[in-house]
Amino acid sequence: MARRSQTETAVLGGLSMHPMTAYALREAIRDVLGHFWSESFGQIYPTLNALEQQGHVERREGPRSGSSTFVITESGTARLRELLSEPITAAPPRNGLLLRLFFGRVLGAEKCRELLLEAKADAERSLAEYDHLARTLSAEEEGSADLPYVLMTVSAGRHDAEGVLAWIGEALALLGDAPANDAPANGES
Amino acid sequence: MARRSQTETAVLGGLSMHPMTAYALREAIRDVLGHFWSESFGQIYPTLNALEQQGHVERREGPRSGSSTFVITESGTARLRELLSEPITAAPPRNGLLLRLFFGRVLGAEKCRELLLEAKADAERSLAEYDHLARTLSAEEEGSADLPYVLMTVSAGRHDAEGVLAWIGEALALLGDAPANDAPANGES
DNA sequence: TCCGCCATGTAACCTGTTACATGATTTT
DNA sequence: AAAATCATGTAACAGGTTACATGGCGGA
């Protein structure tokens, strides 16, 4: 089995967009793939060394003394294509919010409501970020062949956040929310 | 400290509903919390032993020779309440589908479309399961104080699946799929 | 009788995060 | 000159899965 399962994919994928240092790669992953992926230095550096030894990336002079810019090779691109074609290994689900709500009788309705309101604020913040991101990317990367794919992932985030918001409305209703500041009830159920 | 394990929470939570063996606990987690949580034997057994030593659960005669039924104690319930009140430790995001789509230019539009159609089928299957689950639970657990909380988590699953379906429609459009063979745009059902 | 499920546990093995150690370069 | 940022890497540890080892019990 693949040792560094999907880290290899993320690293090669990042370098497939343009060459960069390990440090920049991590920043790119954090800033651009952040809503759906993450990697830490502790994974990135060893993975890059392994990929270099396999000839999938090459080390070039970096922007500073002692730093290296990594460039993906032909074989690296082939390897990436291979990795992207492998079946998706889904992480076992672990949703801390739902775990708490499931045992809501023990936690208490009031705390549950608080959790839901927090989650609502988070989702709203995310939504705004996705909108901003979509606009920025559409402008900056206009015409790029990558753009539709990138926008697809942003769209996933938006729909997810919207789904969460819709759910929270329903969940608060299940908790028997009373406050009169709420929106009118919807017709169907 | 490093992020705490929520296994303790899940185990105490499970036992808070009713006493059972470690084996049954794992089955319950798989079958009932399955859409948003998972635990393996390798976690459950050591956790139960630790909880027993702390006096949070007690070991009783099990349904078979050599088996034990675990019962949550007063202090166990208090501990559970405490754990449920702790801040949620979110797992770093890792969505293998979005990772593949992001690098879709390398993978190729055709493969991307296939991935999306697979995901669509999954989401539709999930949706049906959630609907079935909601109906079954509403009937079986009618009047239970746990019911609204349980339904809340099912509702989360449903909204998530719906969000995925909505997203997939948009994503396929971004891929430049053929005309409107689908019926995506019109009102929610 | 034999198979499959209930039941308990452990050990090996990954995968991945965090903290640490180190230093160069840019900015203030 | 000090502080922030860029940059590289390692070691320790946490959290978790899988495979294995073991055995009782019920039904075909």
Side-chain angles (χ1 to χ4, degrees), chain B residues 13 36 106 127:
Chain B
F36 63 88
V106 177
L127 208 53

Side-chain angles (χ1 to χ4, degrees), chain B residues 81-136:
Chain B
R81 197 139 29 216
E82 200 176 291
L83 287 169
L84 289 173
S85 300
E86 280 185 4
I88 296 171
T89 60
R94 260 161 173 234
N95 185 320
L97 174 59
L98 292 185
L99 185 67
R100 280 158 182 76
L101 292 176
F102 189 91
F103 301 117
R105 213 193 68 228
V106 177
L107 180 59
E110 204 39 59
K111 289 242 177 107
C112 287
R113 192 181 325 243
E114 280 167 32
L115 285 175
L116 285 167
L117 291 176
E118 264 175 59
K120 189 183 178 190
D122 285 349
E124 279 163 352
R125 213 174 304 126
S126 298
L127 208 53
E129 271 169 38
Y130 291 129
D131 282 342
H132 177 255
L133 199 57
R135 263 181 280 115
T136 309

Side-chain angles (χ1 to χ4, degrees), chain A residues 2-7 38-43 64-65:
Chain A
R3 317 197 125 200
R4 310 205 187 268
S5 68
Q6 312 199 87
T7 296
S38 74
E39 295 291 348
S40 61
F41 285 132
Q43 294 280 101
R64 296 183 177 201
S65 81

Side-chain angles (χ1 to χ4, degrees), chain A residues 83-98:
Chain A
L83 287 169
L84 289 173
S85 299
E86 278 184 7
I88 296 170
T89 61
R94 252 143 186 253
N95 185 320
L97 174 59
L98 292 185

Side-chain angles (χ1 to χ4, degrees), chain B residues 19-64:
Chain B
M20 52 190 140
T21 65
Y23 186 89
L25 183 55
R26 191 264 193 158
E27 289 210 313
I29 290 173
R30 198 225 296 124
D31 297 341
V32 189
L33 314 189
H35 355 285
F36 63 88
W37 205 259
S38 75
E39 293 292 348
S40 62
F41 284 132
Q43 294 279 102
I44 289 176
Y45 282 102
T47 299
L48 278 170
N49 285 329
L51 286 171
E52 190 192 10
Q53 296 211 310
Q54 296 167 280
H56 295 327
V57 304
E58 273 169 18
R59 194 185 288 259
R60 301 273 164 81
E61 277 295 293
R64 297 188 176 195

